[in-house]
């Protein structure tokens, strides 16, 4: 079908799991298997790859890029947890939050756990990584995924993030939060055309209800007393779930500000939220995505908006 072919045109992205291997070792392994390594990409066009050619990504050095047809589901590196099959855009949130080893971190809506495993890799399995999800089945899938990825610093809980008490002894020291809540999924290339029904009013009501949930999660995240930064992401292309949620949140939480992200990234949040990132098939060769980083202002800093 048409939709299928749009998804097939996206490069195949693979994140190297640095808990198990290094980018160099993964590249060497693939070269020995007959893949053709072309070095690090320097522009977006370098991501248009054919046959067995591959490159290191230009923005995210732990990401390797292959031709759209490549399938790693049966590959040793995937089965052994050395590589994670993850779209490049979905590697942005953990990369941007960048919690140092030893820090206390929450992944608020975590299953199936690709971003949790990325956080653990950045933390080098050191510190505390609390991961919540409402859906027990998705959480079970996540346990398997984290085991394969060699993640050991996590504590999983089948709990509504909105009921996690920011003042409780267990969570009061949380410094970093990754919030990737349920969204419309309108950025997923294969879903895009199916997701909008003929009923415009119904779609609008669904978006409004998702946006209100997303804002509640965001406001809740900002209540953790030692919080330094929170990354918010969706795989939606709708401003109602992205810039509008951030805008309402900033109005309600004047002690937080947006951090300008990756200056070299080619697609920005809609005006005036250009500190945030957007991603799309045409501008970044990924699924549609949105990322914002909120940071606590220092005590002395004036509130400018
Ligand atoms: N971050 C995940 C990853 O990268 O693999 C994907 C998360 S998915 C977009 C959103 C998740 O939020 C779903 O698994 C859903 O079950 C969960 N969820 C929805 N409402 C929640 C809530 N109130 N508390 C915790 N998790 C929730």
């Amino acid at each position: 079908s048409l939709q299928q072919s749009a998804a097939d045109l996206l490069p195949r992205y693979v994140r190297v799991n640095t808990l198990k291997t290094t980018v160099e070792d993964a590249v060497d392994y693939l070269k020995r298997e007959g893949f053709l390594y072309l070095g690090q990409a320097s522009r977006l066009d370098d991501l248009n790859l054919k046959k067995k050619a591959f490159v290191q990504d230009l923005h995210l050095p732990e990401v390797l890029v292959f031709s759209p047809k490549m399938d790693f589901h049966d590959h040793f590196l995937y089965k052994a947890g050395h590589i994670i099959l993850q779209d490049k855009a979905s590697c942005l949130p953990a990369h941007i939050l960048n919690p140092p080893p030893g820090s206390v971190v929450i992944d608020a809506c975590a299953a199936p756990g690709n971003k949790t495993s990325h956080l653990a890799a950045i933390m080098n399995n050191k510190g505390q990584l609390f991961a919540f999800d409402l859906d027990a089945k998705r959480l079970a899938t996540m346990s398997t995924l984290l085991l394969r990825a060699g993640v050991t610093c996590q504590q999983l809980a089948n709990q509504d993030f909105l009921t996690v008490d920011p003042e409780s002894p267990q969570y009061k020291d949380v410094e970093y939060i990754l919030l990737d809540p349920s969204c419309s999924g309108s950025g997923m290339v294969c879903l895009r055309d199916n997701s909008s029904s003929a009923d415009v009013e119904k779609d609008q009501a669904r978006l409004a209800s998702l946006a209100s949930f997303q804002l509640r999660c965001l406001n809740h995240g900002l209540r953790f007393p030692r919080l330094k930064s929170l990354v918010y992401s969706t795989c939606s292309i709708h401003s109602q779930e992205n810039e509008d949620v951030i805008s309402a949140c900033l109005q309600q939480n004047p002690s937080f500000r947006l951090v300008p992200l990756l200056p070299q990234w080619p697609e920005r949040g809609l005006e005036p939220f250009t500190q945030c990132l957007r991603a799309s098939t045409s501008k970044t060769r990924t699924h549609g995505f949105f990322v914002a980083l909120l940071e606590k202002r220092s005590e002395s800093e004036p509130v400018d908006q």
Side-chain angles (χ1 to χ4, degrees), residues 86 90 107-116 132-135 138 159-162 178 180-183 213 217 235:
Q86 191 173 358
S90 92
D107 190 345
C109 297
N114 280 329
K115 297 183 189 77
T116 317
F132 301 98
D133 205 281
L134 259 185
D135 187 325
R138 286 170 65 94
Q159 188 180 342
D160 182 344
F161 173 62
L162 294 169
L178 187 148
D180 184 43
S182 300
C183 73
F213 164 69
C217 286
C235 57

Side-chain angles (χ1 to χ4, degrees), residues 71-234:
D71 185 353
F72 285 99
H73 282 96
D74 293 322
H75 196 274
F76 165 76
L77 291 180
Y78 171 66
K79 288 184 170 166
H82 290 208
I83 58 172
I84 312 283
L85 309 182
Q86 191 173 358
D87 183 52
K88 173 178 168 179
S90 92
C91 297
L92 286 169
H95 174 81
I96 283 165
L97 189 63
N98 197 26
S103 52
V104 186
V105 182
I106 281 182
D107 190 345
C109 297
N114 280 329
K115 297 183 189 77
T116 317
S117 100
H118 194 187
L119 287 170
I122 293 167
M123 295 162 71
N124 201 17
N125 263 336
K126 295 189 178 75
Q128 284 182 291
L129 177 49
F130 300 105
F132 301 98
D133 205 281
L134 259 185
D135 187 325
K137 240 176 128 181
R138 286 170 65 94
L139 212 60
T141 308
M142 174 161 173
S143 295
T144 312
L145 188 148
L146 296 184
L147 186 68
R148 190 171 53 210
V151 175
T152 55
C153 60
Q154 83 280 20
Q155 295 179 50
L156 306 190
N158 185 199
Q159 188 180 342
D160 182 344
F161 173 62
L162 294 169
T163 69
V164 176
D165 179 5
E167 309 285 342
S168 70
Q170 202 179 7
Y171 303 122
K172 67 174 178 36
D173 295 325
V174 167
E175 306 163 281
Y176 298 91
I177 296 180
L178 187 148
L179 174 61
D180 184 43
S182 300
C183 73
S184 63
S186 56
M188 301 305 291
V189 172
C190 46
L191 295 179
R192 195 168 287 168
D193 286 335
N194 307 337
S195 66
S196 67
S197 63
D199 192 338
V200 175
E201 261 174 47
K202 201 171 141 200
D203 286 345
Q204 283 307 319
R206 176 164 173 260
L207 280 184
S209 134
L210 283 166
S212 114
F213 164 69
Q214 291 151 355
L215 180 58
R216 278 195 295 143
C217 286
L218 202 41
N219 284 336
H220 189 69
L222 299 187
R223 288 179 46 208
F224 287 76
R226 305 250 163 86
L227 186 74
K228 291 180 176 151
S229 47
L230 179 153
V231 72
Y232 174 77
S233 60
T234 73

Side-chain angles (χ1 to χ4, degrees), residues 232-251:
Y232 174 77
S233 60
T234 73
C235 57
S236 166
I237 54 170
H238 292 107
S239 56
Q240 289 104 307
E241 299 179 272
N242 298 333
E243 291 86 353
D244 295 359
V245 171
I246 292 300
S247 172
C249 172
L250 287 171
Q251 275 176 21

